[in-house]
């Protein structure tokens, strides 16, 4: 979901979703699942449960642990069915009314929706819906689902949901809870992940990643397929395919950075994928060095793969403080700069006098790399070479990964040589796009039919982005809020 009010350049949000069906502790299971999915969103969290008669909800700003550790909060979410959401918002508009799952009462009963992804025609849809008299309660794009379902002329909730999904464009993995079913849906290209697990005693879990199953002891069943809708109800699990089949385009950045390394995504363990990407990076661009050092935590598996491939020792030359939030979500450059120092410190004995290869997953604005390179030099490194386990990030994501506007992406404005100079590294290399595909067990990227969504590296956007061409977005949505 994203903030359609567009208060700054960072419109896009990552999120984690979980749904639980037929478990006596549904809300607690959902809370544990959200806990495992905390990396997908740290700004706000919520759970809606259903007890057979009534829906109950709790939403709050902050981490899952801040909101769902109190047994009284869980006790106030009774029922054997629940849906939960972690929100990673980057706009200024962090208010409770934007915290999911969204909930609405319809003529057919209640419906709670948790959405991961980003709709690319939400502003246009919202404008049309507001004209029809729909009263929006939030500024998230996900609320268009609620209104499209409300005005649909179809009779059943499932048909209304399908009707709504056929009108939205963009990336979505969503979980809906009605008074008779738990529903999971993935967009036709399957850009964002969604998986199915089974609990002892006949229960089901739907979640963004398999790490949410492991924490509750659920058994992995399979991925929800791109374009598939799964319905879990009193009759068990059934599957619908209401869309024309498209060639799937799963988000390659989930492998590089976003998914948790212990998750298995589309059949591939993320940890192993990252190690293979690191090994491919070493084959493509290794330089003579004494030590391979990851930028923790996200650079660790790739650095292990890199070191294994080139035979140079791997050392933790940078230590991360785990008790500070992600620097990426800090609001100003000044704070971001401070944040990097708070988050990482040099492990001097591993760096002093050595030729160091630093491995990180990506360069976005370049803030992290610049600070880390400087820190490693100050610790006495003889040479500092930066190796990145993704191709240069040259384009913004419109499908649910937080990236700044294009003008703020270092790689959109500079050559690799210029970037090396800007971050102060002796050399800089990124994995090639073909190398990335090879590491993910594909042939080199087929430009006519790429296997992944890699728009952030190629500018090849597989889903149209009509909202991005509306430069009056902000005024429109602010207007709609005023009405
Ligand atoms: P920057 O400092 O702006 O160049 O950001 C790069 C750092 O942010 C890398 O170390 C990544 O691990 C991390 N990163 C990259 N993409 C994201 C994202 N979408 N959300 C949060 N962190 C990210």
């Amino acid at each position: 979901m994203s903030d359609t009010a567009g208060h700054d350049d960072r419109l896009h949000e990552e999120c984690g979703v979980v749904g639980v069906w037929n478990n006596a502790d549904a809300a607690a299971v959902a809370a544990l699942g959200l806990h495992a999915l905390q990396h997908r969103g740290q700004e706000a969290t919520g759970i809606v449960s259903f007890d057979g008669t009534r829906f109950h909800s709790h939403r709050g700003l902050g981490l899952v642990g801040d909101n769902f550790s109190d047994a009284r909060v869980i006790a106030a979410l009774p029922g054997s069915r629940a849906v939960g959401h972690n929100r990673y918002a980057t706009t200024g508009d962090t208010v409770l009314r934007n915290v999911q799952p969204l909930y609405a009462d319809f003529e057919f009963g209640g419906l709670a929706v948790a959405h991961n992804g980003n709709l690319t025609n939400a502003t246009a849809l919202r404008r049309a819906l507001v004209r029809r008299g729909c009263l929006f309660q939030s500024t998230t794009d996900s609320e268009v689902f609620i209104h499209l379902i409300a005005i649909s002329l179809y009779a059943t909730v499932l048909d209304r949901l399908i009707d709504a999904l056929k009108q939205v464009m963009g990336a979505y993995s969503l979980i809906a809870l009605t008074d008779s079913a738990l529903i999971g849906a993935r967009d036709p290209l399957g850009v964002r992940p969604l998986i199915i697990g089974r609990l002892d005693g006949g229960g089901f879990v739907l979640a963004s990643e398999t790490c949410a199953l492991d924490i509750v002891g659920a058994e992995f069943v399979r991925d929800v397929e791109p374009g598939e809708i799964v319905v879990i109800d009193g009759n068990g699990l059934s599957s619908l395919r209401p869309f024309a089949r498209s060639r799937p385009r799963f988000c390659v950045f989930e492998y590089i950075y976003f998914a948790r390394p212990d998750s298995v995504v589309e059949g591939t363990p993320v940890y192993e994928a990252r190690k293979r990407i690191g090994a491919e990076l070493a084959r493509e661009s290794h330089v003579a060095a004494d030590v391979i050092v990851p930028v923790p935590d996200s650079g660790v598996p790739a650095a292990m793969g890199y070191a294994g491939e080139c035979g140079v020792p791997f050392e933790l030359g940078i230590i991360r403080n785990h008790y500070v939030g992600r620097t990426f979500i800090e609001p100003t450059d000044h704070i971001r700069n401070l944040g990097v120092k708070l988050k990482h410190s040099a492990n001097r004995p591993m760096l002093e006098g050595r030729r160091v290869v630093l491995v990180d997953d990506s360069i976005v604005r370049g803030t992290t790399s610049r600070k880390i390179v400087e820190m490693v030099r100050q610790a006495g490194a003889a040479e500092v070479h930066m190796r990145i386990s993704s191709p240069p990030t040259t384009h913004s994501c419109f499908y649910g990964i937080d990236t700044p506007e294009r003008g703020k992406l270092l790689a959109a404005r500079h050559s690799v040589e210029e970037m090396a100079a800007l971050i102060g590294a002796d050399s800089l290399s990124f994995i090639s796009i073909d190398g990335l595909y090879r590491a993910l067990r594909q042939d080199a990227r087929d430009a006519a039919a790429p296997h992944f969504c890699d728009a952030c590296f190629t500018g090849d956007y597989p889903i149209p982005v009509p909202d991005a061409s509306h430069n009056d977005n902000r005024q429109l949505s602010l207007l709609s809020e005023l009405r």
Side-chain angles (χ1 to χ4, degrees), residues 266 350 405 464 469:
E266 301 270 299
M350 293 301 116
E405 70 182 27
S469 57

Side-chain angles (χ1 to χ4, degrees), residues 14 88 257 298 326 328 360-362 364-368 402:
E14 303 138 340
Y88 184 156
Y257 170 81
S298 49
R326 289 194 205 192
F328 201 80
D360 201 359
D361 63 275
S362 57
V364 182
R365 293 178 179 76
T367 320
T368 309
D402 169 34

Side-chain angles (χ1 to χ4, degrees), residues 153-202:
L153 299 176
Y154 285 90
T156 68
V157 57
L158 195 57
D159 285 338
R160 285 169 179 239
L161 177 65
I162 293 168
D163 188 26
L165 294 179
K166 286 190 168 166
Q167 295 173 69
V168 302
M169 260 179 213
Y172 55 83
S173 278
L174 65 84
I175 302 179
L177 182 64
T178 73
D179 48 20
S180 59
L182 182 71
I183 302 168
R186 261 179 106 188
D187 65 75
L189 301 193
V191 175
R192 303 258 74 86
L194 190 65
I195 51 112
I196 308 168
R198 202 187 291 275
L199 286 160
D200 281 348

